[in-house]
Short mmCIF file of all heavy atoms in Angstrom, two decimals:
data_model
loop_
_atom_site.label_atom_id
_atom_site.label_comp_id
_atom_site.label_asym_id
_atom_site.label_seq_id
_atom_site.Cartn_x
_atom_site.Cartn_y
_atom_site.Cartn_z
N PHE A 180 -12.47 2.70 2.96
CA PHE A 180 -13.54 2.11 3.79
C PHE A 180 -14.60 1.73 2.77
O PHE A 180 -15.11 2.58 2.05
CB PHE A 180 -14.06 3.16 4.78
CG PHE A 180 -15.09 2.63 5.73
CD1 PHE A 180 -14.71 2.15 6.97
CD2 PHE A 180 -16.43 2.62 5.38
CE1 PHE A 180 -15.67 1.67 7.86
CE2 PHE A 180 -17.39 2.14 6.27
CZ PHE A 180 -17.00 1.66 7.50
N ALA A 181 -14.90 0.43 2.65
CA ALA A 181 -15.79 -0.05 1.59
C ALA A 181 -17.00 -0.77 2.17
O ALA A 181 -16.97 -1.23 3.32
CB ALA A 181 -15.03 -0.99 0.66
N VAL A 182 -18.06 -0.85 1.36
CA VAL A 182 -19.31 -1.48 1.81
C VAL A 182 -19.82 -2.46 0.76
O VAL A 182 -19.62 -2.28 -0.44
CB VAL A 182 -20.40 -0.43 2.11
CG1 VAL A 182 -20.00 0.45 3.28
CG2 VAL A 182 -20.72 0.41 0.89
N HIS A 183 -20.50 -3.46 1.26
CA HIS A 183 -21.17 -4.44 0.41
C HIS A 183 -22.44 -3.80 -0.15
O HIS A 183 -23.06 -2.97 0.53
CB HIS A 183 -21.51 -5.69 1.24
CG HIS A 183 -21.97 -6.84 0.42
ND1 HIS A 183 -23.27 -6.98 0.00
CD2 HIS A 183 -21.28 -7.91 -0.08
CE1 HIS A 183 -23.38 -8.10 -0.71
NE2 HIS A 183 -22.19 -8.68 -0.77
N PRO A 184 -22.88 -4.18 -1.34
CA PRO A 184 -24.08 -3.55 -1.92
C PRO A 184 -25.37 -3.76 -1.13
O PRO A 184 -26.32 -3.00 -1.29
CB PRO A 184 -24.17 -4.16 -3.32
CG PRO A 184 -23.27 -5.32 -3.34
CD PRO A 184 -22.26 -5.13 -2.26
N ARG A 185 -25.40 -4.75 -0.25
CA ARG A 185 -26.63 -4.98 0.53
C ARG A 185 -26.78 -3.99 1.69
O ARG A 185 -27.84 -3.90 2.31
CB ARG A 185 -26.70 -6.42 1.03
CG ARG A 185 -25.74 -6.74 2.15
CD ARG A 185 -25.93 -8.15 2.72
NE ARG A 185 -24.87 -8.46 3.63
CZ ARG A 185 -23.79 -9.19 3.34
NH1 ARG A 185 -23.66 -9.72 2.15
NH2 ARG A 185 -22.86 -9.39 4.23
N VAL A 186 -25.71 -3.23 2.01
CA VAL A 186 -25.80 -2.25 3.09
C VAL A 186 -26.70 -1.11 2.61
O VAL A 186 -26.49 -0.55 1.54
CB VAL A 186 -24.40 -1.72 3.48
CG1 VAL A 186 -24.50 -0.62 4.53
CG2 VAL A 186 -23.52 -2.86 3.98
N PRO A 187 -27.71 -0.78 3.39
CA PRO A 187 -28.66 0.27 2.96
C PRO A 187 -27.98 1.62 2.74
O PRO A 187 -27.06 2.01 3.47
CB PRO A 187 -29.65 0.36 4.12
CG PRO A 187 -29.49 -0.91 4.88
CD PRO A 187 -28.08 -1.36 4.68
N HIS A 188 -28.44 2.32 1.72
CA HIS A 188 -27.89 3.64 1.37
C HIS A 188 -27.93 4.60 2.57
O HIS A 188 -26.99 5.37 2.78
CB HIS A 188 -28.65 4.24 0.18
CG HIS A 188 -28.12 5.56 -0.24
ND1 HIS A 188 -26.92 5.71 -0.90
CD2 HIS A 188 -28.61 6.81 -0.06
CE1 HIS A 188 -26.70 6.99 -1.11
NE2 HIS A 188 -27.70 7.68 -0.62
N ALA A 189 -28.98 4.54 3.35
CA ALA A 189 -29.10 5.42 4.52
C ALA A 189 -27.98 5.18 5.52
O ALA A 189 -27.45 6.12 6.12
CB ALA A 189 -30.46 5.25 5.19
N LEU A 190 -27.60 3.91 5.69
CA LEU A 190 -26.51 3.59 6.61
C LEU A 190 -25.18 4.08 6.04
O LEU A 190 -24.35 4.64 6.78
CB LEU A 190 -26.46 2.08 6.88
CG LEU A 190 -25.43 1.60 7.89
CD1 LEU A 190 -25.56 2.33 9.23
CD2 LEU A 190 -25.56 0.10 8.08
N ASN A 191 -24.98 3.90 4.74
CA ASN A 191 -23.76 4.43 4.10
C ASN A 191 -23.65 5.93 4.31
O ASN A 191 -22.59 6.45 4.64
CB ASN A 191 -23.76 4.14 2.60
CG ASN A 191 -23.68 2.66 2.28
OD1 ASN A 191 -23.36 1.85 3.14
ND2 ASN A 191 -23.98 2.32 1.04
N SER A 192 -24.78 6.63 4.12
CA SER A 192 -24.79 8.09 4.31
C SER A 192 -24.48 8.48 5.74
O SER A 192 -23.75 9.44 6.00
CB SER A 192 -26.15 8.67 3.90
OG SER A 192 -26.34 8.51 2.52
N ALA A 193 -25.02 7.70 6.69
CA ALA A 193 -24.77 7.99 8.11
C ALA A 193 -23.28 7.80 8.45
O ALA A 193 -22.71 8.60 9.20
CB ALA A 193 -25.64 7.10 8.99
N VAL A 194 -22.68 6.76 7.90
CA VAL A 194 -21.25 6.52 8.14
C VAL A 194 -20.43 7.68 7.55
O VAL A 194 -19.54 8.22 8.21
CB VAL A 194 -20.80 5.17 7.53
CG1 VAL A 194 -19.28 5.05 7.49
CG2 VAL A 194 -21.41 4.01 8.30
N MET A 195 -20.77 8.06 6.33
CA MET A 195 -20.04 9.17 5.71
C MET A 195 -20.21 10.46 6.50
O MET A 195 -19.24 11.19 6.75
CB MET A 195 -20.48 9.36 4.27
CG MET A 195 -20.04 8.20 3.40
SD MET A 195 -20.00 8.45 1.64
CE MET A 195 -19.26 10.00 1.41
N ASP A 196 -21.43 10.73 6.93
CA ASP A 196 -21.68 11.94 7.73
C ASP A 196 -20.87 11.92 9.02
O ASP A 196 -20.30 12.94 9.43
CB ASP A 196 -23.17 12.07 8.06
CG ASP A 196 -24.02 12.42 6.84
OD1 ASP A 196 -23.45 12.82 5.80
OD2 ASP A 196 -25.26 12.27 6.94
N GLY A 197 -20.81 10.75 9.65
CA GLY A 197 -20.05 10.61 10.89
C GLY A 197 -18.57 10.91 10.68
O GLY A 197 -17.95 11.63 11.47
N PHE A 198 -18.01 10.37 9.61
CA PHE A 198 -16.60 10.64 9.31
C PHE A 198 -16.37 12.11 9.01
O PHE A 198 -15.39 12.70 9.45
CB PHE A 198 -16.12 9.78 8.13
CG PHE A 198 -15.53 8.47 8.54
CD1 PHE A 198 -16.31 7.32 8.60
CD2 PHE A 198 -14.18 8.36 8.87
CE1 PHE A 198 -15.77 6.10 8.96
CE2 PHE A 198 -13.62 7.15 9.24
CZ PHE A 198 -14.43 6.02 9.29
N MET A 199 -17.29 12.72 8.27
CA MET A 199 -17.12 14.14 7.93
C MET A 199 -17.21 15.03 9.17
O MET A 199 -16.50 16.02 9.28
CB MET A 199 -18.13 14.57 6.87
CG MET A 199 -17.92 13.92 5.52
SD MET A 199 -16.22 14.14 4.93
CE MET A 199 -15.95 12.60 4.09
N LYS A 200 -18.06 14.65 10.13
CA LYS A 200 -18.12 15.40 11.40
C LYS A 200 -16.83 15.24 12.17
O LYS A 200 -16.33 16.19 12.79
CB LYS A 200 -19.31 14.94 12.23
CG LYS A 200 -20.64 15.44 11.68
CD LYS A 200 -21.80 14.92 12.51
CE LYS A 200 -23.11 15.36 11.86
NZ LYS A 200 -24.25 14.65 12.38
#
Side-chain angles (χ1 to χ4, degrees):
F180 184 93
V182 295
H183 191 277
R185 73 174 171 261
V186 176
H188 181 72
L190 183 54
N191 294 346
S192 294
V194 168
M195 292 199 44
D196 290 345
F198 269 93
M199 293 307 144
K200 286 178 184 166

